[in-house]
Amino acid sequence: MSKGDFKLQFDRARDFIEKSLEDLCSRPVALVPPRLMDSMAYSLRAGGKRLRPVLCIKAGEVFGLEREKTVPLALALEMIHTASLIHDDLPAMDDDTLRRGKPTNHVLFGDALAILAGDALMAWAFEHPLSVLPGMGLPSDRICRSMHVLANALGPEGICGGQVLDIDPQSMDDSPDFPWKVTRQKTAVLLRASILSGAVLAGADGDSLEALGAFGDHLGSAFQIVDDILDVTSTAEELGKTPGKDESQNKRTFVAAYGLQKARELAARESRLASEALEGVRGDTAFFSDLSDYLCERTK
Amino acid sequence: MSKGDFKLQFDRARDFIEKSLEDLCSRPVALVPPRLMDSMAYSLRAGGKRLRPVLCIKAGEVFGLEREKTVPLALALEMIHTASLIHDDLPAMDDDTLRRGKPTNHVLFGDALAILAGDALMAWAFEHPLSVLPGMGLPSDRICRSMHVLANALGPEGICGGQVLDIDPQSMDDSPDFPWKVTRQKTAVLLRASILSGAVLAGADGDSLEALGAFGDHLGSAFQIVDDILDVTSTAEELGKTPGKDESQNKRTFVAAYGLQKARELAARESRLASEALEGVRGDTAFFSDLSDYLCERTK
């Protein structure tokens, strides 16, 4: 696939996600207090690459499932991601006031609403797919398995565990393994789940799922290393959030553990390993391979 | 059923829950940071009546499903309940330092861990049943439907919405309907879901589900009115938490809206309506009817 084709495919998938997300956010829901819906919708609408939902839809397509059937899962992944960002930004955690160039949720709505908007988005991530997928003629066991992938990625072994490692001084250590451990749970786990949940729903075979899981892990590492690099090399305008926060908060980043040059090499290695993992997938994975190359180029 | 029989049945179900919960809390989980597990387990172990999981198990039994098969759902309900209490107690919300006679989670673990323990418990509430129920020979569509009941009860139309009504000044109003609205979303919704999820998993018919839903709504209202009454009539020792908090936080309680005497009458009425609703259930509902009577007696 040419670079232009990849960008076009990504943008098309993202546009479809944006439209579906906007439909969901603007649909009237009688029982939801308007202030809660405003707070949830504010953060859902606040841009971003929509990488996780795009991965989910594209993984479904590899195994022949049309995007109309993966989109409820894709939106759920964006809800989980958004919820975790809202909670990460709270004064009790990273205390960030800027996210994607806009005020963070708690700055606009207050801490209590921000906590509850995060909670509600996590629950909605299960409620929405479980309310629409069964009516789409998909086998219930696949729905159960894909929802399990999401729950595992969010739970104590997933993002929540990763965030504890990231912010709790008593859970940190100075070993060079530590950034890998945090990344696996905090970042890679949801990228991996985005791909696997779409593939599971589409009925992918076991070997392909295993290969896609390995791809997701390496992609997640590459992604986090690139993020750590950009945190020290970018301006606020480029980043859409406050740069240099990692260092000021004494985070165990890849740059802190390995230095900038070695971190760049690690990102390139993880990106290459990601592409190699794709060889085990029974289907057309050109999009995923190009994505991995594209991500890594951001650091150059 | 005699009062003694009811108490015995309740205590047996609760003992079974306690044992299952302890098994789950003490099981080693490699990827979960120990401090996160400690924080989650601290609040899960912190007593309480285990009313929600008991309701779930007993509802399954009405339709012939053994408690070993409903217990994953039952534990999930206790996780959701516990998560919502941890977040409710945070300084950004009700700012409570005492719960069930013990320090609240954030007092011991700090705000960040308390937020993440709540998040992780919410996710675990989906992950745990979705990882064990499919291996128990239960139809996948029933698993999906019971998980949807849980997600709906937690989400923006459920507990999270109810909590916004309860704490956000801009979402409150002074109408006499307001305490009913808050109660439906904050309290009744999870009692209702506890009963319905167990019944759905057991394959209950539509008429019975409708009747049980109405029972859950009235039981939830009775339960909340009793709670509001006890908040003004009890000591901290009796209550296991700080009494008089509702008034000092200017909450729109039933006692504030109707006065103590009228609130007692409303609790009795809701309890009676709950029992009447049970007439539509095709199965032995003596336990549920006795439970409703028992709850109401606490106010006398």
Side-chain angles (χ1 to χ4, degrees), chain A:
Chain A
M1 201 188 306
S2 77
K3 201 185 272 182
D5 277 356
F6 163 74
K7 273 290 290 168
L8 191 70
Q9 280 204 32
F10 192 101
D11 290 345
R12 271 194 195 147
R14 186 168 65 177
D15 289 349
F16 177 67
I17 300 294
E18 290 290 352
K19 199 190 156 302
S20 309
L21 207 52
E22 190 48 44
D23 285 351
L24 201 65
C25 286
S26 52
R27 189 199 295 174
V29 256
L31 287 172
V32 182
R35 284 256 297 162
L36 176 60
M37 195 63 220
D38 288 351
S39 171
M40 292 160 69
Y42 171 75
S43 290
L44 277 178
R45 285 177 173 136
K49 291 175 291 295
R50 311 299 188 194
L51 175 58
R52 292 150 196 85
V54 168
L55 286 173
C56 178
I57 283 183
K58 285 292 172 186
E61 283 178 1
V62 171
F63 304 96
L65 192 62
E66 56 269 47
R67 61 188 192 177
E68 283 74 15
K69 292 191 176 175
T70 39
V71 73
L73 275 184
L75 297 183
L77 287 152
E78 193 66 12
M79 290 174 196
I80 288 175
H81 178 56
T82 303
S84 79
L85 296 182
I86 295 174
H87 284 187
D88 284 7
D89 288 338
L90 284 166
M93 304 235 225
D94 287 353
D95 196 12
D96 256 311
T97 55
L98 197 62
R99 161 80 64 187
R100 294 167 183 163
K102 293 180 182 163
T104 47
N105 195 293
H106 65 91
V107 169
L108 281 188
F109 294 92
D111 290 8
L113 250 293
I115 294 168
L116 291 167
D119 292 353
L121 282 170
M122 288 180 198
W124 208 15
F126 296 94
E127 186 187 2
H128 175 63
L130 284 167
S131 68
V132 297
L133 290 178
M136 290 183 169
L138 292 157
S140 298
D141 65 314
R142 284 195 208 162
I143 299 174
C144 280
R145 283 171 60 212
S146 62
M147 297 312 296
H148 180 250
V149 170
L150 260 61
N152 179 264
L154 175 60
E157 297 181 276
I159 298 178
C160 292
Q163 180 68 357
V164 169
L165 296 177
D166 201 39
I167 58 143
D168 177 46
Q170 293 182 51
S171 299
M172 292 176 187
D173 68 62
D174 282 324
S175 71
D177 284 347
F178 190 73
W180 295 97
K181 197 169 146 187
V182 178
T183 294
R184 226 171 3 247
Q185 286 191 255
K186 195 180 145 80
T187 311
V189 79
L190 196 58
L191 297 181
R192 180 190 165 102
S194 301
I195 302 165
L196 288 184
S197 61
V200 162
L201 194 69
D205 61 283
D207 290 344
S208 293
L209 290 175
E210 199 171 320
L212 284 172
F215 169 78
D217 287 339
H218 291 297
L219 183 80
S221 299
F223 188 79
Q224 185 60 55
I225 300 169
V226 168
D227 232 46
D228 289 354
I229 292 170
L230 293 178
D231 186 72
V232 296
T233 61
S234 300
T235 63
E237 199 181 340
E238 286 165 347
L239 214 54
K241 60 183 177 183
T242 321
K245 287 285 285 194
D246 291 342
E247 200 185 344
S248 69
Q249 291 177 340
N250 205 17
K251 297 247 164 137
R252 269 63 168 174
T253 68
F254 284 96
V255 175
Y258 294 96
L260 196 55
Q261 186 47 40
K262 177 75 178 163
R264 283 203 172 102
E265 288 167 31
L266 289 171
R269 187 193 75 182
E270 290 301 313
S271 168
R272 193 186 67 246
L273 290 171
S275 292
E276 286 173 15
L278 291 174
E279 288 164 20
V281 180
R282 293 183 198 142
D284 178 359
T285 57
F287 177 85
F288 291 96
S289 171
D290 287 351
L291 174 73
S292 159
D293 295 344
Y294 176 77
L295 267 183
C296 211
E297 279 175 19
R298 291 197 301 154
T299 62
K300 284 171 187 159

Side-chain angles (χ1 to χ4, degrees), chain B residues 92-115:
Chain B
M93 304 234 225
D94 286 353
D95 195 13
D96 257 310
T97 55
L98 198 63
R99 161 81 64 186
R100 294 168 184 162
K102 294 179 181 164
T104 46
N105 194 294
H106 65 91
V107 169
L108 282 188
F109 294 91
D111 291 7
L113 249 293
I115 293 168

